[in-house]
């Protein structure tokens, strides 16, 4: 590793933050107070950077690696990059971080009194992605979601000053559900990355082989498996949904958007008759608005 040079002018953070528009859920919508929007985008920028490193989706040119002090052959080593990112994260709490996305995060951490645990969980999840590509049981998958998804909801509650043990529990259920929904949408894409997030025990129960997941369209067994996992995500969303009505004002609308995004995606999966293999089923804006309204009314 080498220290990044101060004279290098790069702006990789712009591409990273632009990806917020493609998420299943609202990241920092216009109706939130400006301070919340800015802080949530800073948190999102870190989370997106971690995932881009873990998925090998960094912008071409190696700017992010150089900013993290990594060059040469190591610039393509995801574990080395994650280690460098963790080192820069620790500088957020006790020094001067190098990467602009972490420099953007530092004042949020100080202003909101955030602790390292949630950020470290996201890094740990992406380390696991480099080493673990299959999950034997649903409980194993839930343990992964505890690292990969739940920290995001906990950070939203922390930024908005609304965290309580019960709200965190509900938030964890929502975030795990959203992660499972994303896995269901991306079965084919994940398989291309040599990752399978459908629990092996469930695949065996439904007589599904990995070769079945590589088909152009899903057969009856794959569809039954996807429907089974979708119901699990639905139940988790139902468990987490009371979080929405435990808060007030614009935060309630934001959290309703999270739940509605998951419900709308599940509706799209069902509308595709659980055939997720040709490509990710995505909900339309009208469905999302309907689900948001239903969530705010306490329906579903």
């Amino acid at each position: 590793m080498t220290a990044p040079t101060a004279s290098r002018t790069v702006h990789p953070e712009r591409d990273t933050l632009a990806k917020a528009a493609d998420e299943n859920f609202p990241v920092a919508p216009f109706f939130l107070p400006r301070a919340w929007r800015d802080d949530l985008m800073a948190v999102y920028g870190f989370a997106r950077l971690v995932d881009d490193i873990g998925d090998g989706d960094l912008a071409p040119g190696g700017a992010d690696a150089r900013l993290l002090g990594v060059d040469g052959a190591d610039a393509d080593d995801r574990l080395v990059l994650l280690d460098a990112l963790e080192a820069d994260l620790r500088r957020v709490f006790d020094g001067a971080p190098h990467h602009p996305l972490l420099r953007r995060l530092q004042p949020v951490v100080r202003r909101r009194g955030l602790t390292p645990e949630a950020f470290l969980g996201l890094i740990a999840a992406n380390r696991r992605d480099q080493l673990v590509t299959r999950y034997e049981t649903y409980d194993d998958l839930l343990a992964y979601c505890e690292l990969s998804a739940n920290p995001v909801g906990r950070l939203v509650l922390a930024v908005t000053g609304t965290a309580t043990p019960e709200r965190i529990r509900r938030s964890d259920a929502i975030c795990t559900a959203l992660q499972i929904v994303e896995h269901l949408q991306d079965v084919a894409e994940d398989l291309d990355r040599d990752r399978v997030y459908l629990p092996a025990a469930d695949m065996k129960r439904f007589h599904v082989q990995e070769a079945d997941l590589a088909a152009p369209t899903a057969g009856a067994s794959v569809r039954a498996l996807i429907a089974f996992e979708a119901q699990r995500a639905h139940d988790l969303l139902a468990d987490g949904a009371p979080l929405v009505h435990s808060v007030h004002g614009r935060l309630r609308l934001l959290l309703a958007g999270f739940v509605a995004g998951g419900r709308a995606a599940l509706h799209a999966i069902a509308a595709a008759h659980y055939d997720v293999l040709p490509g990710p089923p995505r909900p339309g804006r009208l469905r999302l608005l309907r689900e948001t309204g239903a969530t705010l009314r306490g329906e579903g």
Side-chain angles (χ1 to χ4, degrees), residues 156-172:
V156 170
L157 294 177
V159 165
T160 58
T162 55
T164 67
E166 178 62 11
R167 284 175 179 153
I168 289 171
R169 187 188 76 78
R170 300 285 190 184
S171 172
D172 286 353

Side-chain angles (χ1 to χ4, degrees), residues 161-209:
T162 55
T164 67
E166 178 62 11
R167 284 175 179 153
I168 289 171
R169 187 188 76 78
R170 300 285 190 184
S171 172
D172 286 353
I174 293 169
C175 291
T176 291
L178 293 176
Q179 181 75 85
I180 291 172
V181 169
E182 183 177 340
H183 291 329
L184 296 181
Q185 290 174 311
D186 295 340
V187 167
E189 179 182 334
D190 289 334
L191 187 64
D192 285 343
R193 299 178 187 269
D194 192 30
R195 297 177 186 170
V196 178
Y197 293 103
L198 298 168
D202 296 344
M203 291 176 63
K204 183 177 180 180
R205 172 182 175 182
F206 285 90
H207 308 288
V208 172
Q209 305 291 325

Side-chain angles (χ1 to χ4, degrees), residues 46 50 82 85-87 89-90 93 115-127 147 151 155:
F46 173 84
V50 179
L82 289 169
L85 181 61
E86 179 175 337
L89 172 65
R90 296 192 183 281
F93 291 88
T115 59
E117 286 76 18
F119 301 105
L120 290 170
L122 296 174
I123 294 175
N126 279 272
R127 281 202 186 97
L147 297 172
L155 286 166

Side-chain angles (χ1 to χ4, degrees), residues 102-132:
L102 278 79
R103 291 200 297 269
R104 180 180 180 135
L105 182 63
Q106 188 171 50
V108 179
V109 163
R110 292 175 175 171
R111 184 164 53 247
R112 305 294 183 182
L114 305 182
T115 59
E117 286 76 18
F119 301 105
L120 290 170
L122 296 174
I123 294 175
N126 279 272
R127 281 202 186 97
R128 185 171 296 186
D129 276 336
Q130 312 314 310
L131 304 171
V132 179

Side-chain angles (χ1 to χ4, degrees), residues 61-73:
D64 289 291
R66 289 192 297 272
L67 286 164
L68 292 171
V70 179
D71 59 13

Side-chain angles (χ1 to χ4, degrees), residues 138-154:
Y138 182 61
D139 284 344
D140 293 337
L141 184 63
L142 292 181
Y144 169 73
C145 292
E146 177 70 19
L147 297 172
S148 67
N150 298 359
V152 176
R154 295 183 179 206

